[in-house]
Amino acid sequence: MFKNQKKKIIAQKATPESFKKYGFVIKTNNIVQETDKSVTANQGTAIKQEHLGVISNNFIADQESSLNIHIFNCKTRELSNNDKSFHCKIMEKHPFSSQVFIPKTNKYVENCYLVIVSLEEETDENGEHVVEAFMFDSDSSVVYKAGIWHSPMCNVQPSKEVISFIVLINE
Ligand SMILES: NC(=O)N[C@@H](O)C(=O)O
């Protein structure tokens, strides 16, 4: 899988539509205005945005698993000086669970972290696996569907500050 693929990939902006075959993009600061179609909660004191994503648990019945909460404090990744590219050397996947990364930064950062993904079965005309790259802002969380190949999290924010991600995964 991914042997010696040297293709340079231009990252695209992550949106729920552009990312949907790999998982979900959940923007966490778009405080919606109340409309007649809003779903309210908490005795009308909250507007609920429903079903923005799913955390699937594909462990078989006799495999004990739990939905665990971790924090990944991600340091920034080295980017090449000339074209600010990132050399992805590792891809991983979680066959039995979605994985959610919810970033916490001190302020809004555009193009904050890089997500590199691939479907197990998608190859191009040369038989190479199709790999796509997505740029996420700091107000967006990423949900990887179970079985999606992805690079370990890439914090690429210019300030080089660590980003703490709350991570949810069944394991
Ligand atoms: N995605 C990422 O950064 N790492 C996780 O997949 C992990 O479980 O290490």
Side-chain angles (χ1 to χ4, degrees), residues 72 92 94 99 101 144 150-153 169:
F72 279 60
E92 58 189 13
H94 308 290
Q99 186 176 43
F101 275 75
Y144 301 101
H150 57 277
S151 68
M153 183 49 72
I169 186 169

Side-chain angles (χ1 to χ4, degrees), residues 3-148:
K3 284 195 174 27
N4 304 322
Q5 290 191 199
K6 297 260 190 283
K7 194 176 287 183
K8 185 159 277 191
I9 302 161
I10 304 297
Q12 56 187 295
K13 198 73 169 176
T15 65
E17 186 58 28
S18 66
F19 194 75
K20 70 182 179 183
K21 70 179 180 180
Y22 302 107
F24 305 92
V25 176
I26 300 176
K27 285 185 85 66
T28 46
N29 80 341
N30 59 338
I31 308 300
V32 292
Q33 297 308 315
E34 191 155 3
T35 69
D36 56 359
K37 292 185 173 56
S38 299
V39 176
T40 59
N42 300 357
Q43 297 76 45
T45 63
I47 299 174
K48 183 179 174 188
Q49 293 170 262
E50 295 184 308
H51 305 300
L52 301 178
V54 173
I55 301 175
S56 68
N57 183 340
N58 303 348
F59 284 96
I60 53 179
D62 63 358
Q63 280 179 307
E64 195 180 319
S65 68
S66 57
L67 177 57
N68 294 331
I69 303 172
H70 307 292
I71 287 184
F72 279 60
N73 296 295
C74 297
K75 301 169 194 162
T76 46
R77 296 305 196 99
E78 285 307 312
L79 302 178
S80 72
N81 289 330
N82 53 4
D83 63 0
K84 295 295 175 213
S85 61
F86 170 72
H87 183 182
C88 177
K89 296 175 185 160
I90 297 176
M91 294 284 272
E92 58 189 13
K93 66 175 181 176
H94 308 290
F96 303 110
S97 176
S98 305
Q99 186 176 43
V100 187
F101 275 75
I102 305 168
K104 169 74 184 73
T105 57
N106 297 325
K107 59 186 182 309
Y108 170 76
V109 178
E110 188 175 13
N111 299 335
C112 183
Y113 63 98
L114 179 64
V115 166
I116 303 167
V117 285
S118 181
L119 294 176
E120 177 84 25
E121 67 283 351
E122 192 174 11
T123 54
D124 64 15
E125 63 284 358
N126 304 316
E128 291 202 333
H129 284 87
V130 173
V131 179
E132 291 192 86
F134 295 84
M135 196 57 89
F136 280 69
D137 299 332
S138 61
D139 64 351
S140 293
S141 299
V142 59
V143 183
Y144 301 101
K145 287 179 185 172
I148 294 294

Side-chain angles (χ1 to χ4, degrees), residues 152-166:
M153 183 49 72
C154 299
N155 167 3
V156 293
Q157 65 171 334
S159 72
K160 299 200 180 303
E161 289 173 276
V162 168
I163 302 176
S164 290
F165 289 90
I166 295 173

